[in-house]
Amino acid sequence: MSAVVSTVRLHLNRRAATFIVPLTIAGTVALISVLIALIFWRSGSQPGSEGWIYGSQSNPGIVYALLGFLGYLGVSTVATTFPFALTLGATRRAFVAGTLIWDAMMAAYIAVIFAILTAIEIATNHWFVGFYIFDIYVLGGADMPRLLLIVFLGVLTTLTIGGVFAAGWVRFGALGPQLIAVGVVLALAIAAITLVPQAAAIATAFQLWWLAAASVTVIILAAIGTWLLLRPAIVR
Amino acid sequence: MTNAVDIRSISRSFGRTRALEDITLSVPDGSICGLFGRNGAGKTTIMSILAGQDRPTSGNAKVFGEHPFENSSTLSKISFVRDNQRYPDDYRLHHVLRIAPRFAPNWSVDVAAELVDGLRIPAKIPIKKFSRGQLSSIAIVMGLASRAPLTLLDEPYLGLDITARALFHDLLLRDYSAHPRTVILSTHLIEESEALFDRVIIIDRGRVRVDCERDEASNLAFTISGPADAVDKLSTNRRVLLTHAAGGLRSATITGEASDELVLQARTLGATISSASLPELVAAYGADAPESTLIKKGARA
Amino acid sequence: MFTNEGPIFQQLAAMIADGIVNGTYLEETAVPSATDFAAFHRMNPATASKGVNTLVDLGVLYKKRGVGMFVASGAREILRAQRRDEFRKKYLQPLLRETAVLGITTGKLHSMIDDEGQDPR
């Protein structure tokens, strides 16, 4: 158990990447959103009007900005930290478990940050001037439990996917991520081919929790894949 | 005396490349052992297997009586920093100093501080931008400060200046005397480090060629040098590891000990015989002389 | 520091013995410990102990509990006697070989030694 804790500590050792970079990215994106809003404002759009609210609530800029960084973080926690973890004397088992725990901590941390920022956004009546940065549709439109769940699962999914691709790289070199990508594309294609006839029925029956279930499935698959890839991995 | 390391006929293949072939060796607890051989001879692969970072294709390697692979308690007794060690992105010196003690139960803050200071390791530069010597320095910090019961030092001198090498030797010996442990050190700077060792292992092409106490190594081979025909005559029917010739002069490094009779015979022929130094021995085993270089010119009269 | 000829522990023992014969280490005084020798010569501590113990076995050094290693009384004489035995092999025989090569007769050698001895140095 302490070996797992040590691996979590190893990931937390990158304090800046873990705690500060998500904050600065959120801040930067907020700033950019404000600038864009200002441009719209100057060009005649009226803050508070229905079109304005609809437009800015549909803008998921914050999501894209963070996804890129989280994808990188997911990759680097495995790609460069794994060889160093082995050097320190971690077992592969403890490393995979510790990485998963750290991924979850990270997801919870970012979810809480988002919740706080959303609460501020709402309490200040959208930053006093009607800017929608966190109160947006993809993040649940200010429904707190929904926002927490979406951000938590979204971050965790991104980190674990990054991790499994990096594990493929550690195990098989450049070929690894390509193989995983081919496998995923094939799986999606087969799913699409079998499901397309019922597409209409599926679309009408679609429930939002399906997405949550799908991301949990992806997280579990990615974690298992990471373990299977790293268990026999050697460092050269 | 118990053994820190016990390797029983391990082989390791990477695809079609045979990196190690049927290696059997042991290192007694408390030894400072030199591991020598040419680049690609298999030194790093052996260390990697001992550190549980790699697994042999066949055979088994034990450290303190246990298999190191995925064995948390054994791994905590081993320190091994590869010569091409990768560090997490954006790591600086303080990241290493903060996390390494968590994995090394015997970590000494004082040893680490003294080395960081003496080796002048920069604190502000990302490790990714370190020079070769600076990378070696940080590996030395991890290797010595961890005070690991089995310390594997893979080419610790690469790119290090002479002052830094002396500091490393001093600290290694001083800390070893206060906190004995087993050390396996691989290097090409044999002359400079040979007095450190009480055991010597020479490998070539994945095979163990020499595995003995340091003091025995001086009796393993000798070199005859002098006029070419005298040297040829004296080396007849002996196992020649390495020859070197220029003009009419020739030298031959031969396994075994030179008998008094041979020394006398050499003197009358105008040749000299001296026992091979450790660097000469390593060079000789690394030379491309195949095993069959037994010079046979028919029976001597 | 160390040469290629002979095991290192013997070379260390010879170095300490030199110190005793030439008066660097006086009888009944302390010599550096094996650890000190190891640190100073940057050599293996086990090898250094072996070198020091060679002299202990000869009765040249002895261990005072909790204090350290000391030169035994009579150590100098033991070593001088040993070296007188070695003198022939180490100096005399090579000397005679060289005189033969150079064509120096025994008579000439005698007078050379006499001259050398008178040299006020």
Side-chain angles (χ1 to χ4, degrees):
Chain A
M1 196 58 219
S2 80
V4 177
V5 175
S6 295
T7 316
V8 176
R9 293 286 289 265
L10 171 62
H11 289 308
L12 290 174
N13 198 26
R14 293 174 69 193
R15 288 179 190 167
T18 307
F19 298 114
I20 298 168
V21 177
L23 281 179
T24 54
I25 289 180
T28 314
V29 173
L31 201 71
I32 292 170
S33 303
V34 167
L35 288 175
I36 292 172
L38 283 175
I39 292 167
F40 280 122
W41 193 2
R42 295 292 292 167
S43 65
S45 187
Q46 208 48 318
S49 72
E50 237 164 73
W52 170 277
I53 293 176
Y54 176 78
S56 40
Q57 281 203 306
S58 305
N59 173 18
I62 186 75
V63 176
Y64 290 135
L66 262 184
L67 279 184
F69 171 72
L70 292 171
Y72 151 78
L73 201 59
V75 169
S76 75
T77 49
V78 172
T80 58
T81 308
F82 176 71
F84 188 63
L86 287 195
T87 291
L88 289 174
T91 59
R92 292 153 180 79
R93 211 168 33 242
F95 178 80
V96 173
T99 304
L100 206 60
I101 292 173
W102 178 82
D103 286 347
M105 286 169 64
M106 201 61 193
Y109 169 68
I110 293 178
V112 168
I113 292 178
F114 269 56
I116 293 171
L117 290 172
T118 309
I120 296 175
E121 180 166 310
I122 295 189
T124 58
N125 196 18
H126 299 93
W127 314 101
F128 307 111
V129 282
F131 291 147
Y132 289 76
I133 297 159
F134 297 98
D135 173 12
I136 54 176
Y137 294 134
V138 270
L139 294 182
D143 176 347
M144 275 300 169
R146 187 175 277 188
L147 173 121
L148 284 170
L149 191 68
I150 290 173
V151 176
F152 180 81
L153 288 178
V155 171
L156 193 53
T157 310
T158 315
L159 288 173
T160 49
I161 289 177
V164 76
F165 274 92
W169 181 74
V170 167
R171 177 87 170 84
F172 296 112
L175 201 62
Q178 291 173 29
L179 286 176
I180 298 174
V182 169
V184 169
V185 168
L186 276 179
L188 287 179
I190 291 169
I193 290 166
T194 39
L195 293 179
V196 153
Q198 294 99 23
I202 291 172
T204 47
F206 182 79
Q207 300 279 319
L208 215 51
W209 65 264
W210 288 13
L211 273 181
S215 74
V216 169
T217 314
V218 169
I219 291 165
I220 291 171
L221 285 178
I224 293 173
T226 305
W227 166 235
L228 291 178
L229 286 165
L230 288 187
R231 191 178 51 173
I234 59 156
V235 180
R236 286 185 73 182
Chain B
M1 203 191 276
T2 54
N3 287 334
V5 166
D6 255 308
I7 294 177
R8 292 277 159 265
S9 57
I10 59 167
S11 298
R12 180 67 171 107
S13 309
F14 297 107
R16 274 186 215 147
T17 321
R18 304 271 285 170
L20 299 179
E21 293 204 44
D22 196 24
I23 296 247
T24 294
L25 57 86
S26 51
V27 178
D29 206 0
S31 168
I32 302 181
C33 173
L35 178 61
F36 308 111
R38 297 186 60 178
N39 292 325
K43 304 183 294 292
T44 304
T45 307
I46 291 178
M47 289 189 177
S48 207
I49 287 172
L50 290 177
Q53 296 196 6
D54 193 359
R55 261 198 293 194
T57 311
S58 64
N60 69 77
K62 286 187 177 176
V63 175
F64 302 116
E66 308 253 0
H67 289 286
F69 194 80
E70 288 295 86
N71 184 335
S72 208
S73 76
T74 303
L75 290 175
S76 71
K77 296 182 191 135
I78 303 171
S79 161
F80 170 52
V81 184
R82 332 175 57 86
D83 62 346
N84 60 350
Q85 180 65 45
R86 283 204 300 268
Y87 295 85
D89 287 2
D90 53 59
Y91 251 43
R92 285 162 212 266
L93 173 65
H94 72 271
H95 289 102
V96 173
L97 297 181
R98 195 162 60 202
I99 195 67
R102 268 215 68 99
F103 288 85
N106 302 335
W107 184 268
S108 159
V109 176
D110 295 339
V111 170
E114 192 173 348
L115 283 167
V116 165
D117 191 44
L119 297 171
R120 300 186 183 170
I121 304 177
K124 290 185 180 150
I125 303 175
I127 294 179
K128 223 188 252 176
K129 297 197 173 139
F130 270 18
S131 71
R132 182 60 255 182
Q134 290 166 335
L135 285 173
S136 296
S137 298
I138 199 162
I140 286 175
V141 172
M142 281 195 275
L144 293 188
S146 66
R147 289 187 173 152
L150 176 62
T151 302
L152 305 167
L153 297 163
D154 189 16
E155 300 277 0
Y157 309 110
L158 283 182
L160 279 194
D161 59 71
I162 188 161
T163 316
R165 298 201 296 269
L167 177 75
F168 165 69
H169 283 160
D170 286 349
L171 245 168
L172 169 66
L173 288 172
R174 202 185 72 203
D175 208 51
Y176 169 91
S177 297
H179 302 272
R181 62 198 89 160
T182 308
V183 179
I184 301 180
L185 188 156
S186 78
T187 179
H188 297 303
L189 290 182
I190 303 159
E191 221 161 347
E192 202 170 298
S193 57
E194 63 176 315
L196 293 178
F197 307 116
D198 53 23
R199 277 199 85 75
V200 171
I201 295 170
I202 301 176
I203 58 172
D204 190 52
R205 298 177 196 218
R207 291 176 184 276
V208 176
R209 312 307 296 266
V210 169
D211 173 13
C212 66
E213 288 194 18
R214 169 69 190 89
D215 285 336
E216 292 163 9
S218 4
N219 306 328
L220 290 179
F222 59 92
T223 301
I224 312 177
S225 54
D229 42 345
V231 172
D232 281 347
K233 189 172 178 217
L234 292 163
S235 50
T236 305
N237 277 333
R238 295 178 190 278
R239 193 170 152 217
V240 177
L241 290 170
L242 174 69
T243 59
H244 172 68
L249 295 172
R250 183 185 272 279
S251 78
T253 303
I254 291 164
T255 57
E257 254 180 293
S259 62
D260 288 346
E261 183 200 6
L262 189 73
V263 175
L264 266 172
Q265 203 185 350
R267 196 174 285 144
T268 51
L269 289 171
T272 55
I273 289 185
S274 59
S275 63
S277 66
L278 192 55
E280 283 170 339
L281 198 64
V282 175
Y285 276 107
D288 273 330
E291 200 124 358
S292 59
T293 320
L294 215 64
I295 293 185
K296 278 181 183 152
K297 287 185 176 170
R300 278 188 299 156
Chain C
M1 190 75 248
F2 296 101
T3 67
N4 188 15
E5 296 305 315
I8 292 176
F9 80 93
Q10 281 178 4
Q11 295 183 42
L12 177 68
M15 246 183 264
I16 303 170
D18 274 342
I20 294 171
V21 171
N22 69 27
T24 309
Y25 305 126
L26 298 173
E27 288 176 8
E28 296 303 331
T29 64
V31 294
S33 68
T35 313
D36 294 334
F37 279 119
F40 184 74
H41 295 299
R42 298 197 173 110
M43 64 188 292
N44 188 287
T47 311
S49 298
K50 207 169 157 188
V52 169
N53 286 335
T54 310
L55 295 178
V56 172
D57 293 345
L58 271 178
V60 168
L61 296 179
Y62 70 98
K63 194 172 190 165
K64 266 194 198 169
R65 263 169 177 261
V67 188
M69 207 54 89
F70 281 72
V71 181
S73 51
R76 196 155 177 242
E77 198 37 51
I78 296 175
L79 290 169
R80 279 162 59 125
Q82 194 191 31
R83 293 204 169 189
R84 277 194 288 268
D85 293 340
E86 285 169 8
F87 182 76
R88 245 185 85 191
K89 199 175 166 206
K90 225 167 143 186
Y91 297 96
L92 221 45
Q93 288 172 355
L95 179 79
L96 292 176
R97 265 202 305 278
E98 186 69 4
T99 52
V101 172
L102 298 177
I104 298 170
T105 62
T106 317
K108 175 75 178 149
L109 181 62
H110 277 275
S111 63
M112 280 170 89
I113 291 171
D114 289 342
D115 291 350
E116 199 66 23
Q118 282 161 11
D119 229 1
R121 278 207 282 181

